[in-house]
Amino acid sequence: MSAKDWHNPEEEEDNVLVKSKHVKFHKRCLEVLPSAYSSLDTSRLTIAFFALSALDVLDSLSVICDEKDKIIDWIYSLQVLPDAQNSAESLSRCGFRGSSALGTPFNPSEILTNKADGINTYDRGHIAMTYTGLCSLLVLGDDLSRVHKEGIVKGLKALQLPSGSFQATSDGSENDMRFLYCACCISHIIQDWGGIDIERAIKFIHQSLAHDFGIGEVPGGEGHGGTTFCAIASLSLIGQLETTFTEKEKEGIIRWCVSRQQSGFNGRPNKPVDTCYSFWLGATLKLLGAYDLIDFQWNRKFILSTQDSRIGGFAKWPDYHPDALHAYLGLCGLSLMGEEGILPIHPALNISQRVADHLENIHTHWTEGKT
């Protein structure tokens, strides 16, 4: 089923995706942001991913074709590399940082050849930035040849805790389902699962199943739409989605996800609907083979009600200002329903299927190179 199959023509005038406005919105996110985003300065790479992947999903990467190489070099400048001796301590820091906020110079040739003097004690990779950095490179058509895969694997290994969960950085931070998901995406992208104790990760996921069949951030936590997605997508990437939960548990998870739909979706019981959950819950149901259970028309209507038809982008709620995260995930929610003019999404990796196909070609090249 696609969006046009159930679309009500009488409502079409009030429910039109203003694609050109969304393209301008996301291009602008790459160029300049309002002062309200200053608190996210250390997470610039994630904002860039939302904008780049949105332009890709809109099939409009051509608007930045002259900037692609510069953006790729900027992303690689954010890669934290080991020292010249590949010491264990320096390898544990590897990954991608979110920005140059710590004073790292933007000089790709210097950074990539390990000529930077000394190691900044506070300079280390962040697992979410590594995930969004790798995805951004793929969106831009890069072949990942400059990615220090050994360092990333060692960096991941340093982030997993005895519980099976992952923390964000090697100097200690929050640890929950979000970062376990990032670890699975990273491992899938670089085709090396050596940084994850998979058995412990699966155990952590199963223990996080709540009494109502939502999946929480941690064992004993309240079920949440975002972390339910992270858990199900992680199992899909690991290849254990069919074996981790019993049929009763799987049916319970599906029921919990479907119950989150009011018009759009909310993230928890008794919470208002929110644009982003049309992707988080929608992608979860897609991976579980139950997406057709949702009401397409009401979901689409809600997403488009949060669209800013003047400047583009989607907001969390109707009549709110659009932001980079909801603007991207609103498009992804529409993509899951087959919205015309939007590329299909790979539900587990949260990138377009076109980019996922590019990644598969890279994997084939790597495999052939080993034989």
mmCIF file with all atom_site columns, all heavy atoms in Angstrom, residues 200-224:
data_model
loop_
_atom_site.group_PDB
_atom_site.id
_atom_site.type_symbol
_atom_site.label_atom_id
_atom_site.label_alt_id
_atom_site.label_comp_id
_atom_site.label_asym_id
_atom_site.label_entity_id
_atom_site.label_seq_id
_atom_site.pdbx_PDB_ins_code
_atom_site.Cartn_x
_atom_site.Cartn_y
_atom_site.Cartn_z
_atom_site.occupancy
_atom_site.B_iso_or_equiv
_atom_site.pdbx_formal_charge
_atom_site.auth_seq_id
_atom_site.auth_comp_id
_atom_site.auth_asym_id
_atom_site.auth_atom_id
_atom_site.pdbx_PDB_model_num
ATOM 1   N N   . ARG A 1 200 ? 25.748 -10.731 25.543 1.00 0.00 ? 200 ARG A N   1
ATOM 2   C CA  . ARG A 1 200 ? 25.386 -9.812  26.629 1.00 0.00 ? 200 ARG A CA  1
ATOM 3   C C   . ARG A 1 200 ? 24.440 -8.720  26.129 1.00 0.00 ? 200 ARG A C   1
ATOM 4   O O   . ARG A 1 200 ? 23.541 -8.287  26.864 1.00 0.00 ? 200 ARG A O   1
ATOM 5   C CB  . ARG A 1 200 ? 26.642 -9.183  27.222 1.00 0.00 ? 200 ARG A CB  1
ATOM 6   C CG  . ARG A 1 200 ? 27.385 -10.100 28.175 1.00 0.00 ? 200 ARG A CG  1
ATOM 7   C CD  . ARG A 1 200 ? 28.408 -9.333  28.980 1.00 0.00 ? 200 ARG A CD  1
ATOM 8   N NE  . ARG A 1 200 ? 29.505 -8.841  28.157 1.00 0.00 ? 200 ARG A NE  1
ATOM 9   C CZ  . ARG A 1 200 ? 30.374 -7.913  28.549 1.00 0.00 ? 200 ARG A CZ  1
ATOM 10  N NH1 . ARG A 1 200 ? 30.260 -7.355  29.740 1.00 0.00 ? 200 ARG A NH1 1
ATOM 11  N NH2 . ARG A 1 200 ? 31.349 -7.543  27.753 1.00 0.00 ? 200 ARG A NH2 1
ATOM 12  N N   . ALA A 1 201 ? 24.639 -8.270  24.898 1.00 0.00 ? 201 ALA A N   1
ATOM 13  C CA  . ALA A 1 201 ? 23.774 -7.230  24.337 1.00 0.00 ? 201 ALA A CA  1
ATOM 14  C C   . ALA A 1 201 ? 22.336 -7.735  24.200 1.00 0.00 ? 201 ALA A C   1
ATOM 15  O O   . ALA A 1 201 ? 21.375 -7.035  24.541 1.00 0.00 ? 201 ALA A O   1
ATOM 16  C CB  . ALA A 1 201 ? 24.310 -6.775  22.981 1.00 0.00 ? 201 ALA A CB  1
ATOM 17  N N   . ILE A 1 202 ? 22.184 -8.951  23.701 1.00 0.00 ? 202 ILE A N   1
ATOM 18  C CA  . ILE A 1 202 ? 20.852 -9.536  23.535 1.00 0.00 ? 202 ILE A CA  1
ATOM 19  C C   . ILE A 1 202 ? 20.185 -9.724  24.891 1.00 0.00 ? 202 ILE A C   1
ATOM 20  O O   . ILE A 1 202 ? 18.984 -9.458  25.053 1.00 0.00 ? 202 ILE A O   1
ATOM 21  C CB  . ILE A 1 202 ? 20.945 -10.873 22.773 1.00 0.00 ? 202 ILE A CB  1
ATOM 22  C CG1 . ILE A 1 202 ? 21.381 -10.620 21.323 1.00 0.00 ? 202 ILE A CG1 1
ATOM 23  C CG2 . ILE A 1 202 ? 19.604 -11.607 22.804 1.00 0.00 ? 202 ILE A CG2 1
ATOM 24  C CD1 . ILE A 1 202 ? 21.644 -11.890 20.533 1.00 0.00 ? 202 ILE A CD1 1
ATOM 25  N N   . LYS A 1 203 ? 20.958 -10.161 25.869 1.00 0.00 ? 203 LYS A N   1
ATOM 26  C CA  . LYS A 1 203 ? 20.408 -10.346 27.218 1.00 0.00 ? 203 LYS A CA  1
ATOM 27  C C   . LYS A 1 203 ? 19.910 -9.011  27.778 1.00 0.00 ? 203 LYS A C   1
ATOM 28  O O   . LYS A 1 203 ? 18.837 -8.935  28.394 1.00 0.00 ? 203 LYS A O   1
ATOM 29  C CB  . LYS A 1 203 ? 21.472 -10.946 28.137 1.00 0.00 ? 203 LYS A CB  1
ATOM 30  C CG  . LYS A 1 203 ? 20.974 -11.252 29.551 1.00 0.00 ? 203 LYS A CG  1
ATOM 31  C CD  . LYS A 1 203 ? 22.077 -11.898 30.395 1.00 0.00 ? 203 LYS A CD  1
ATOM 32  C CE  . LYS A 1 203 ? 21.571 -12.188 31.807 1.00 0.00 ? 203 LYS A CE  1
ATOM 33  N NZ  . LYS A 1 203 ? 22.642 -12.811 32.646 1.00 0.00 ? 203 LYS A NZ  1
ATOM 34  N N   . PHE A 1 204 ? 20.682 -7.943  27.558 1.00 0.00 ? 204 PHE A N   1
ATOM 35  C CA  . PHE A 1 204 ? 20.281 -6.615  28.027 1.00 0.00 ? 204 PHE A CA  1
ATOM 36  C C   . PHE A 1 204 ? 18.962 -6.188  27.372 1.00 0.00 ? 204 PHE A C   1
ATOM 37  O O   . PHE A 1 204 ? 18.077 -5.646  28.036 1.00 0.00 ? 204 PHE A O   1
ATOM 38  C CB  . PHE A 1 204 ? 21.378 -5.602  27.701 1.00 0.00 ? 204 PHE A CB  1
ATOM 39  C CG  . PHE A 1 204 ? 21.030 -4.181  28.075 1.00 0.00 ? 204 PHE A CG  1
ATOM 40  C CD1 . PHE A 1 204 ? 21.191 -3.737  29.373 1.00 0.00 ? 204 PHE A CD1 1
ATOM 41  C CD2 . PHE A 1 204 ? 20.536 -3.295  27.121 1.00 0.00 ? 204 PHE A CD2 1
ATOM 42  C CE1 . PHE A 1 204 ? 20.873 -2.430  29.725 1.00 0.00 ? 204 PHE A CE1 1
ATOM 43  C CE2 . PHE A 1 204 ? 20.209 -1.992  27.466 1.00 0.00 ? 204 PHE A CE2 1
ATOM 44  C CZ  . PHE A 1 204 ? 20.378 -1.558  28.770 1.00 0.00 ? 204 PHE A CZ  1
ATOM 45  N N   . ILE A 1 205 ? 18.833 -6.441  26.074 1.00 0.00 ? 205 ILE A N   1
ATOM 46  C CA  . ILE A 1 205 ? 17.606 -6.080  25.367 1.00 0.00 ? 205 ILE A CA  1
ATOM 47  C C   . ILE A 1 205 ? 16.418 -6.834  25.948 1.00 0.00 ? 205 ILE A C   1
ATOM 48  O O   . ILE A 1 205 ? 15.370 -6.252  26.250 1.00 0.00 ? 205 ILE A O   1
ATOM 49  C CB  . ILE A 1 205 ? 17.747 -6.368  23.861 1.00 0.00 ? 205 ILE A CB  1
ATOM 50  C CG1 . ILE A 1 205 ? 18.760 -5.405  23.226 1.00 0.00 ? 205 ILE A CG1 1
ATOM 51  C CG2 . ILE A 1 205 ? 16.390 -6.255  23.155 1.00 0.00 ? 205 ILE A CG2 1
ATOM 52  C CD1 . ILE A 1 205 ? 19.097 -5.719  21.785 1.00 0.00 ? 205 ILE A CD1 1
ATOM 53  N N   . HIS A 1 206 ? 16.572 -8.128  26.112 1.00 0.00 ? 206 HIS A N   1
ATOM 54  C CA  . HIS A 1 206 ? 15.447 -8.934  26.610 1.00 0.00 ? 206 HIS A CA  1
ATOM 55  C C   . HIS A 1 206 ? 15.067 -8.539  28.036 1.00 0.00 ? 206 HIS A C   1
ATOM 56  O O   . HIS A 1 206 ? 13.876 -8.487  28.377 1.00 0.00 ? 206 HIS A O   1
ATOM 57  C CB  . HIS A 1 206 ? 15.772 -10.425 26.541 1.00 0.00 ? 206 HIS A CB  1
ATOM 58  C CG  . HIS A 1 206 ? 14.581 -11.300 26.722 1.00 0.00 ? 206 HIS A CG  1
ATOM 59  N ND1 . HIS A 1 206 ? 14.222 -11.815 27.959 1.00 0.00 ? 206 HIS A ND1 1
ATOM 60  C CD2 . HIS A 1 206 ? 13.627 -11.722 25.833 1.00 0.00 ? 206 HIS A CD2 1
ATOM 61  C CE1 . HIS A 1 206 ? 13.117 -12.527 27.821 1.00 0.00 ? 206 HIS A CE1 1
ATOM 62  N NE2 . HIS A 1 206 ? 12.737 -12.486 26.550 1.00 0.00 ? 206 HIS A NE2 1
ATOM 63  N N   . GLN A 1 207 ? 16.050 -8.219  28.850 1.00 0.00 ? 207 GLN A N   1
ATOM 64  C CA  . GLN A 1 207 ? 15.765 -7.818  30.224 1.00 0.00 ? 207 GLN A CA  1
ATOM 65  C C   . GLN A 1 207 ? 15.090 -6.449  30.299 1.00 0.00 ? 207 GLN A C   1
ATOM 66  O O   . GLN A 1 207 ? 14.505 -6.104  31.330 1.00 0.00 ? 207 GLN A O   1
ATOM 67  C CB  . GLN A 1 207 ? 17.058 -7.795  31.048 1.00 0.00 ? 207 GLN A CB  1
ATOM 68  C CG  . GLN A 1 207 ? 17.627 -9.176  31.341 1.00 0.00 ? 207 GLN A CG  1
ATOM 69  C CD  . GLN A 1 207 ? 18.933 -9.117  32.113 1.00 0.00 ? 207 GLN A CD  1
ATOM 70  O OE1 . GLN A 1 207 ? 19.664 -8.125  32.058 1.00 0.00 ? 207 GLN A OE1 1
ATOM 71  N NE2 . GLN A 1 207 ? 19.246 -10.186 32.831 1.00 0.00 ? 207 GLN A NE2 1
ATOM 72  N N   . SER A 1 208 ? 15.165 -5.674  29.230 1.00 0.00 ? 208 SER A N   1
ATOM 73  C CA  . SER A 1 208 ? 14.568 -4.342  29.204 1.00 0.00 ? 208 SER A CA  1
ATOM 74  C C   . SER A 1 208 ? 13.115 -4.357  28.748 1.00 0.00 ? 208 SER A C   1
ATOM 75  O O   . SER A 1 208 ? 12.482 -3.301  28.656 1.00 0.00 ? 208 SER A O   1
ATOM 76  C CB  . SER A 1 208 ? 15.389 -3.407  28.302 1.00 0.00 ? 208 SER A CB  1
ATOM 77  O OG  . SER A 1 208 ? 16.713 -3.265  28.785 1.00 0.00 ? 208 SER A OG  1
ATOM 78  N N   . LEU A 1 209 ? 12.589 -5.542  28.439 1.00 0.00 ? 209 LEU A N   1
ATOM 79  C CA  . LEU A 1 209 ? 11.178 -5.670  28.072 1.00 0.00 ? 209 LEU A CA  1
ATOM 80  C C   . LEU A 1 209 ? 10.325 -5.389  29.308 1.00 0.00 ? 209 LEU A C   1
ATOM 81  O O   . LEU A 1 209 ? 10.467 -6.052  30.334 1.00 0.00 ? 209 LEU A O   1
ATOM 82  C CB  . LEU A 1 209 ? 10.899 -7.072  27.530 1.00 0.00 ? 209 LEU A CB  1
ATOM 83  C CG  . LEU A 1 209 ? 9.495  -7.349  26.995 1.00 0.00 ? 209 LEU A CG  1
ATOM 84  C CD1 . LEU A 1 209 ? 9.216  -6.524  25.748 1.00 0.00 ? 209 LEU A CD1 1
ATOM 85  C CD2 . LEU A 1 209 ? 9.324  -8.846  26.694 1.00 0.00 ? 209 LEU A CD2 1
ATOM 86  N N   . ALA A 1 210 ? 9.433  -4.399  29.209 1.00 0.00 ? 210 ALA A N   1
ATOM 87  C CA  . ALA A 1 210 ? 8.618  -3.997  30.360 1.00 0.00 ? 210 ALA A CA  1
ATOM 88  C C   . ALA A 1 210 ? 7.376  -4.874  30.491 1.00 0.00 ? 210 ALA A C   1
ATOM 89  O O   . ALA A 1 210 ? 7.049  -5.663  29.595 1.00 0.00 ? 210 ALA A O   1
ATOM 90  C CB  . ALA A 1 210 ? 8.215  -2.528  30.217 1.00 0.00 ? 210 ALA A CB  1
ATOM 91  N N   . HIS A 1 211 ? 6.662  -4.708  31.595 1.00 0.00 ? 211 HIS A N   1
ATOM 92  C CA  . HIS A 1 211 ? 5.493  -5.544  31.870 1.00 0.00 ? 211 HIS A CA  1
ATOM 93  C C   . HIS A 1 211 ? 4.388  -5.358  30.834 1.00 0.00 ? 211 HIS A C   1
ATOM 94  O O   . HIS A 1 211 ? 3.613  -6.271  30.580 1.00 0.00 ? 211 HIS A O   1
ATOM 95  C CB  . HIS A 1 211 ? 4.938  -5.212  33.267 1.00 0.00 ? 211 HIS A CB  1
ATOM 96  C CG  . HIS A 1 211 ? 4.299  -3.862  33.342 1.00 0.00 ? 211 HIS A CG  1
ATOM 97  N ND1 . HIS A 1 211 ? 5.025  -2.698  33.481 1.00 0.00 ? 211 HIS A ND1 1
ATOM 98  C CD2 . HIS A 1 211 ? 2.988  -3.492  33.280 1.00 0.00 ? 211 HIS A CD2 1
ATOM 99  C CE1 . HIS A 1 211 ? 4.202  -1.670  33.507 1.00 0.00 ? 211 HIS A CE1 1
ATOM 100 N NE2 . HIS A 1 211 ? 2.965  -2.111  33.388 1.00 0.00 ? 211 HIS A NE2 1
ATOM 101 N N   . ASP A 1 212 ? 4.343  -4.159  30.197 1.00 0.00 ? 212 ASP A N   1
ATOM 102 C CA  . ASP A 1 212 ? 3.294  -3.898  29.195 1.00 0.00 ? 212 ASP A CA  1
ATOM 103 C C   . ASP A 1 212 ? 3.775  -4.171  27.778 1.00 0.00 ? 212 ASP A C   1
ATOM 104 O O   . ASP A 1 212 ? 3.081  -3.873  26.813 1.00 0.00 ? 212 ASP A O   1
ATOM 105 C CB  . ASP A 1 212 ? 2.782  -2.464  29.326 1.00 0.00 ? 212 ASP A CB  1
ATOM 106 C CG  . ASP A 1 212 ? 3.882  -1.421  29.103 1.00 0.00 ? 212 ASP A CG  1
ATOM 107 O OD1 . ASP A 1 212 ? 5.063  -1.810  28.901 1.00 0.00 ? 212 ASP A OD1 1
ATOM 108 O OD2 . ASP A 1 212 ? 3.557  -0.213  29.133 1.00 0.00 ? 212 ASP A OD2 1
ATOM 109 N N   . PHE A 1 213 ? 4.992  -4.712  27.651 1.00 0.00 ? 213 PHE A N   1
ATOM 110 C CA  . PHE A 1 213 ? 5.608  -5.117  26.379 1.00 0.00 ? 213 PHE A CA  1
ATOM 111 C C   . PHE A 1 213 ? 6.218  -3.967  25.576 1.00 0.00 ? 213 PHE A C   1
ATOM 112 O O   . PHE A 1 213 ? 6.631  -4.166  24.443 1.00 0.00 ? 213 PHE A O   1
ATOM 113 C CB  . PHE A 1 213 ? 4.624  -5.919  25.496 1.00 0.00 ? 213 PHE A CB  1
ATOM 114 C CG  . PHE A 1 213 ? 4.242  -7.238  26.101 1.00 0.00 ? 213 PHE A CG  1
ATOM 115 C CD1 . PHE A 1 213 ? 2.997  -7.408  26.689 1.00 0.00 ? 213 PHE A CD1 1
ATOM 116 C CD2 . PHE A 1 213 ? 5.129  -8.303  26.114 1.00 0.00 ? 213 PHE A CD2 1
ATOM 117 C CE1 . PHE A 1 213 ? 2.643  -8.608  27.269 1.00 0.00 ? 213 PHE A CE1 1
ATOM 118 C CE2 . PHE A 1 213 ? 4.787  -9.521  26.689 1.00 0.00 ? 213 PHE A CE2 1
ATOM 119 C CZ  . PHE A 1 213 ? 3.543  -9.678  27.275 1.00 0.00 ? 213 PHE A CZ  1
ATOM 120 N N   . GLY A 1 214 ? 6.282  -2.770  26.156 1.00 0.00 ? 214 GLY A N   1
ATOM 121 C CA  . GLY A 1 214 ? 7.181  -1.774  25.601 1.00 0.00 ? 214 GLY A CA  1
ATOM 122 C C   . GLY A 1 214 ? 8.586  -2.125  26.049 1.00 0.00 ? 214 GLY A C   1
ATOM 123 O O   . GLY A 1 214 ? 8.788  -2.944  26.961 1.00 0.00 ? 214 GLY A O   1
ATOM 124 N N   . ILE A 1 215 ? 9.593  -1.536  25.444 1.00 0.00 ? 215 ILE A N   1
ATOM 125 C CA  . ILE A 1 215 ? 10.981 -1.812  25.819 1.00 0.00 ? 215 ILE A CA  1
ATOM 126 C C   . ILE A 1 215 ? 11.597 -0.515  26.322 1.00 0.00 ? 215 ILE A C   1
ATOM 127 O O   . ILE A 1 215 ? 11.525 0.524   25.666 1.00 0.00 ? 215 ILE A O   1
ATOM 128 C CB  . ILE A 1 215 ? 11.784 -2.385  24.635 1.00 0.00 ? 215 ILE A CB  1
ATOM 129 C CG1 . ILE A 1 215 ? 11.130 -3.674  24.128 1.00 0.00 ? 215 ILE A CG1 1
ATOM 130 C CG2 . ILE A 1 215 ? 13.235 -2.647  25.047 1.00 0.00 ? 215 ILE A CG2 1
ATOM 131 C CD1 . ILE A 1 215 ? 11.785 -4.267  22.892 1.00 0.00 ? 215 ILE A CD1 1
ATOM 132 N N   . GLY A 1 216 ? 12.195 -0.576  27.507 1.00 0.00 ? 216 GLY A N   1
ATOM 133 C CA  . GLY A 1 216 ? 12.727 0.614   28.146 1.00 0.00 ? 216 GLY A CA  1
ATOM 134 C C   . GLY A 1 216 ? 14.178 0.891   27.806 1.00 0.00 ? 216 GLY A C   1
ATOM 135 O O   . GLY A 1 216 ? 14.825 0.150   27.081 1.00 0.00 ? 216 GLY A O   1
ATOM 136 N N   . GLU A 1 217 ? 14.690 1.978   28.380 1.00 0.00 ? 217 GLU A N   1
ATOM 137 C CA  . GLU A 1 217 ? 16.093 2.337   28.184 1.00 0.00 ? 217 GLU A CA  1
ATOM 138 C C   . GLU A 1 217 ? 17.018 1.325   28.854 1.00 0.00 ? 217 GLU A C   1
ATOM 139 O O   . GLU A 1 217 ? 18.107 1.037   28.357 1.00 0.00 ? 217 GLU A O   1
ATOM 140 C CB  . GLU A 1 217 ? 16.373 3.720   28.776 1.00 0.00 ? 217 GLU A CB  1
ATOM 141 C CG  . GLU A 1 217 ? 15.743 4.865   28.015 1.00 0.00 ? 217 GLU A CG  1
ATOM 142 C CD  . GLU A 1 217 ? 16.185 6.210   28.562 1.00 0.00 ? 217 GLU A CD  1
ATOM 143 O OE1 . GLU A 1 217 ? 16.643 6.257   29.731 1.00 0.00 ? 217 GLU A OE1 1
ATOM 144 O OE2 . GLU A 1 217 ? 16.072 7.201   27.830 1.00 0.00 ? 217 GLU A OE2 1
ATOM 145 N N   . VAL A 1 218 ? 16.560 0.812   29.994 1.00 0.00 ? 218 VAL A N   1
ATOM 146 C CA  . VAL A 1 218 ? 17.351 -0.133  30.790 1.00 0.00 ? 218 VAL A CA  1
ATOM 147 C C   . VAL A 1 218 ? 16.385 -1.137  31.413 1.00 0.00 ? 218 VAL A C   1
ATOM 148 O O   . VAL A 1 218 ? 15.173 -0.904  31.444 1.00 0.00 ? 218 VAL A O   1
ATOM 149 C CB  . VAL A 1 218 ? 18.133 0.594   31.911 1.00 0.00 ? 218 VAL A CB  1
ATOM 150 C CG1 . VAL A 1 218 ? 19.186 1.529   31.335 1.00 0.00 ? 218 VAL A CG1 1
ATOM 151 C CG2 . VAL A 1 218 ? 17.168 1.377   32.811 1.00 0.00 ? 218 VAL A CG2 1
ATOM 152 N N   . PRO A 1 219 ? 16.872 -2.265  31.909 1.00 0.00 ? 219 PRO A N   1
ATOM 153 C CA  . PRO A 1 219 ? 15.988 -3.201  32.614 1.00 0.00 ? 219 PRO A CA  1
ATOM 154 C C   . PRO A 1 219 ? 15.260 -2.514  33.769 1.00 0.00 ? 219 PRO A C   1
ATOM 155 O O   . PRO A 1 219 ? 15.855 -1.767  34.539 1.00 0.00 ? 219 PRO A O   1
ATOM 156 C CB  . PRO A 1 219 ? 16.968 -4.265  33.136 1.00 0.00 ? 219 PRO A CB  1
ATOM 157 C CG  . PRO A 1 219 ? 18.086 -4.245  32.141 1.00 0.00 ? 219 PRO A CG  1
ATOM 158 C CD  . PRO A 1 219 ? 18.242 -2.808  31.761 1.00 0.00 ? 219 PRO A CD  1
ATOM 159 N N   . GLY A 1 220 ? 13.961 -2.733  33.849 1.00 0.00 ? 220 GLY A N   1
ATOM 160 C CA  . GLY A 1 220 ? 13.146 -2.096  34.874 1.00 0.00 ? 220 GLY A CA  1
ATOM 161 C C   . GLY A 1 220 ? 12.619 -0.736  34.482 1.00 0.00 ? 220 GLY A C   1
ATOM 162 O O   . GLY A 1 220 ? 11.831 -0.139  35.223 1.00 0.00 ? 220 GLY A O   1
ATOM 163 N N   . GLY A 1 221 ? 13.043 -0.211  33.330 1.00 0.00 ? 221 GLY A N   1
ATOM 164 C CA  . GLY A 1 221 ? 12.597 1.102   32.882 1.00 0.00 ? 221 GLY A CA  1
ATOM 165 C C   . GLY A 1 221 ? 11.240 1.040   32.199 1.00 0.00 ? 221 GLY A C   1
ATOM 166 O O   . GLY A 1 221 ? 10.768 -0.029  31.784 1.00 0.00 ? 221 GLY A O   1
ATOM 167 N N   . GLU A 1 222 ? 10.599 2.193   32.089 1.00 0.00 ? 222 GLU A N   1
ATOM 168 C CA  . GLU A 1 222 ? 9.304  2.279   31.418 1.00 0.00 ? 222 GLU A CA  1
ATOM 169 C C   . GLU A 1 222 ? 9.464  2.074   29.916 1.00 0.00 ? 222 GLU A C   1
ATOM 170 O O   . GLU A 1 222 ? 10.416 2.577   29.308 1.00 0.00 ? 222 GLU A O   1
ATOM 171 C CB  . GLU A 1 222 ? 8.684  3.654   31.680 1.00 0.00 ? 222 GLU A CB  1
ATOM 172 C CG  . GLU A 1 222 ? 7.325  3.857   31.040 1.00 0.00 ? 222 GLU A CG  1
ATOM 173 C CD  . GLU A 1 222 ? 6.775  5.258   31.247 1.00 0.00 ? 222 GLU A CD  1
ATOM 174 O OE1 . GLU A 1 222 ? 7.512  6.120   31.766 1.00 0.00 ? 222 GLU A OE1 1
ATOM 175 O OE2 . GLU A 1 222 ? 5.602  5.488   30.889 1.00 0.00 ? 222 GLU A OE2 1
ATOM 176 N N   . GLY A 1 223 ? 8.534  1.339   29.313 1.00 0.00 ? 223 GLY A N   1
ATOM 177 C CA  . GLY A 1 223 ? 8.559  1.157   27.876 1.00 0.00 ? 223 GLY A CA  1
ATOM 178 C C   . GLY A 1 223 ? 8.457  2.487   27.158 1.00 0.00 ? 223 GLY A C   1
ATOM 179 O O   . GLY A 1 223 ? 7.688  3.369   27.555 1.00 0.00 ? 223 GLY A O   1
ATOM 180 N N   . HIS A 1 224 ? 9.230  2.665   26.093 1.00 0.00 ? 224 HIS A N   1
ATOM 181 C CA  . HIS A 1 224 ? 9.298  3.941   25.380 1.00 0.00 ? 224 HIS A CA  1
ATOM 182 C C   . HIS A 1 224 ? 9.417  3.668   23.886 1.00 0.00 ? 224 HIS A C   1
ATOM 183 O O   . HIS A 1 224 ? 10.113 2.731   23.473 1.00 0.00 ? 224 HIS A O   1
ATOM 184 C CB  . HIS A 1 224 ? 10.498 4.746   25.890 1.00 0.00 ? 224 HIS A CB  1
ATOM 185 C CG  . HIS A 1 224 ? 10.589 6.131   25.346 1.00 0.00 ? 224 HIS A CG  1
ATOM 186 N ND1 . HIS A 1 224 ? 11.113 6.415   24.107 1.00 0.00 ? 224 HIS A ND1 1
ATOM 187 C CD2 . HIS A 1 224 ? 10.207 7.325   25.885 1.00 0.00 ? 224 HIS A CD2 1
ATOM 188 C CE1 . HIS A 1 224 ? 11.056 7.721   23.901 1.00 0.00 ? 224 HIS A CE1 1
ATOM 189 N NE2 . HIS A 1 224 ? 10.511 8.291   24.960 1.00 0.00 ? 224 HIS A NE2 1
#
